[in-house]
Amino acid sequence: MSVSSTIDVSNMRFGVVVSEWNEQITQSLLNGVVETLKQYGVKDEKIIIKSVPGSFELVFGAAQLAKSGLVDGIIAIGCVIRGDTPHFDYICSGATQGIVDLNLHGNIPVVYGLLTTNTLEQAEERSGGLLGNKGNEYAVTAIKMIDYAQSLTK
Ligand code: DLZ
């Protein structure tokens, strides 16, 4: 995935909400996001990064950041790893539906950066390991979606 050179990122402000659970994974995803945003010319001062305790809190975190008016788009980063209880399903469905609702009812795009895996190894592979870093895709998606939103208001 890449961003067209016709897209101007200079007027874009990014919010990133990161979950502390499975921090080693979410920090790697965050690094992937920031690295890619900068690669496309986004300046540090245009990126606001906020932490929340777990993936379930991503929805509140993103909703409040959206309401603040400080950003044009948000990337919600979390990692849920399947355990022995149904907790995985509740957290995944709550966070996922919450992000869907924010996209449907809010004014700015919220990128779904929730990694849901069966094992820690699968999460490692996707956060800078053998299968790349999904954070790169989240950043590209955010740029494209902010461009989409801005194209309708100009
Ligand atoms: C409680 C919990 C569990 C068991 N697993 C995860 C996980 O794998 N990934 C994650 O981001 N958060 C987990 N949490 C915490 C919940 O997201 C949430 O923070 C708590 O239920 C408190 O609302």
Side-chain angles (χ1 to χ4, degrees):
M1 270 182 102
S2 62
V3 174
S4 157
S5 57
T6 59
I7 294 183
D8 176 15
V9 301
S10 63
N11 291 324
M12 297 183 179
R13 301 167 303 163
F14 297 82
V16 189
V17 185
V18 193
S19 159
E20 290 166 5
W21 257 81
N22 299 312
E23 196 161 25
Q24 159 210 347
I25 303 294
T26 58
Q27 284 301 311
S28 296
L29 293 169
L30 172 63
N31 291 341
V33 164
V34 172
E35 184 185 283
T36 301
L37 290 178
K38 287 188 176 177
Q39 181 192 320
Y40 284 107
V42 178
K43 304 276 184 241
D44 275 326
E45 60 268 26
K46 296 290 182 87
I47 307 172
I48 293 178
I49 299 170
K50 302 292 277 182
S51 289
V52 293
S55 293
F56 196 78
E57 284 73 43
L58 287 173
V59 178
F60 182 83
Q64 296 304 308
L65 189 52
K67 273 188 210 162
S68 76
L70 294 172
V71 296
D72 301 306
I74 294 173
I75 300 165
I77 296 177
C79 172
V80 195
I81 299 174
R82 191 181 286 282
D84 295 331
T85 70
H87 225 92
F88 174 90
D89 302 295
Y90 294 120
I91 296 169
C92 290
S93 64
T96 302
Q97 190 55 51
I99 292 171
V100 169
D101 288 345
L102 291 176
N103 279 287
L104 280 175
H105 304 299
N107 294 322
I108 62 171
V110 180
V111 174
Y112 182 72
L114 188 64
L115 207 52
T116 61
T117 62
N118 291 323
T119 64
L120 176 61
E121 290 69 33
Q122 289 174 339
E124 286 169 345
E125 283 171 356
R126 290 160 176 78
S127 55
L130 278 179
L131 300 177
N133 190 330
K134 290 279 174 195
N136 305 140
E137 284 176 31
Y138 305 155
V140 168
T141 303
I143 292 172
K144 288 182 173 178
M145 291 309 294
I146 293 174
D147 180 62
Y148 179 87
Q150 290 184 342
S151 75
L152 301 174
T153 57
K154 278 172 189 162

